[in-house]
Amino acid sequence: EDQVTQSPEALRLQEGESSSLNCSYTVSGLRGLFWYRQDPGKGPEFLFTLYSAGEEKEKERLKATLTKKESFLHITAPKPEDSATYLCAVRIGEGFSGGYNKLIFGAGTRLAVHP
Amino acid sequence: GAVVSQHPSRVICKSGTSVKIECRSLDFQATTMFWYRQFPKQSLMLMATSNEGSKATYEQGVEKDKFLINHASLTLSTLTVTSAHPEDSSFYICSARDFLVNNEQFFGPGTRLTVL
C-alpha cells in the first residue's frame, strides 16, 4: 500500500534553532515528491518538487533533500513567520504526466517557532 | 507560482440544500484539476480528479452522485455538494495542474463549508 509518513507530528523551535522535518514513503512508483506549506485556514503553498535520489533544492531558509526512501526539509535559523504546517506528498501513477497521476499526502508536521 | 482561486471562501447552508464551489486557474490552463477535503488537524484527502471535457475520476468511498464535479473549461472546475448534511461540513480545496508547462500542482485557498 502506498504510504507517506511525516515526523515529528509537531515541532517547537526557538528562533534561530535549525532543525529537520522527515518524510518517509513507500510507494510503488514515485513520480515526484512535493513539499508544501499550509497556514491555518488556507490552501497549501507550493515549496519544492524533487524527482530523483540525491536531488536538493533551496529556497530562503528551507532546503529539501531526497533519498530513495525519504525526504528531509531542513530549516536553517528559522523565524516566527516560518510557523506553519509542512506537508509532504508523493505523486504516484503511470508516467510523469496524465490525469491518472495523483498526490498522496502525509499527515504533516506542525512547526511553531518562538521568538 | 501559478494562482488558483476558489469561490466562495466560506459558505453556511441548511441541511438538504446544494452548494456549488468554483475553482479557477487564473494565469494558466489547467489540464487537470483535483478536489480535496480536509478535516481539522488532518491532512488532505483526494476526492476526485477531473480532466477538461471528460468525466471526473472519483476516489474509492467518494459518492459521485453527492459530489458532482464539472470541468467545463481549461480554467474552471466546479464541485457541487448535493443535499448537504452536517457530516459534509469540511474544508474543500481544489488544485490545478498544467501538464503542458510543468509538473507542478498548485492549490486554491480553500472553501470552508458548514452545514447546519
Side-chain angles (χ1 to χ4, degrees), chain B residues 56-77:
Chain B
T57 301
Y58 290 80
E59 293 298 299
Q60 192 172 10
V62 178
E63 299 176 58
K64 60 180 65 176
D65 293 331
K66 181 166 189 62
F67 298 100
L68 302 179
I69 292 172
N70 183 278
H71 191 168
S73 76
L74 285 172
T75 60
L76 173 65
S77 176

Side-chain angles (χ1 to χ4, degrees), chain B residues 1-6 24-28 33 75 96 106-109:
Chain B
V3 179
V4 177
S5 70
Q6 273 184 251
R24 294 180 184 274
S25 57
L26 298 185
D27 51 0
F28 69 103
M33 285 187 169
T75 60
F106 300 95
F107 287 80

Side-chain angles (χ1 to χ4, degrees), chain B residues 18-36:
Chain B
S18 294
V19 175
K20 180 184 284 188
I21 303 170
E22 289 189 351
C23 175
R24 294 180 184 274
S25 57
L26 298 185
D27 51 0
F28 69 103
Q29 293 185 324
T31 48
T32 302
M33 285 187 169
F34 307 84
W35 286 94
Y36 292 81

Side-chain angles (χ1 to χ4, degrees), chain A residues 34 36 38 41-44 46 49 51 57 87 91 96-103 105-108 110, chain B residues 32 34 36 38 41-44 46 49 51 59 91 93 95 97 99 103-110 112:
Chain A
F34 295 71
Y36 291 88
Q38 186 176 28
K42 296 187 178 180
F46 173 77
T49 309
Y51 289 103
K57 287 190 177 176
L87 298 170
R91 174 175 288 153
F96 285 91
S97 62
Y100 35 77
N101 289 154
K102 62 181 181 181
L103 293 182
F105 279 86
R110 293 192 308 278
Chain B
T32 302
F34 307 84
Y36 292 81
Q38 187 175 34
K41 295 191 176 181
Q42 293 188 24
S43 194
L44 282 73
L46 179 64
T49 302
N51 292 297
E59 293 298 299
F91 192 51
I93 309 174
S95 180
R97 186 175 168 197
F99 292 98
N103 274 325
E104 314 307 352
Q105 187 167 328
F106 300 95
F107 287 80
R112 172 73 59 192

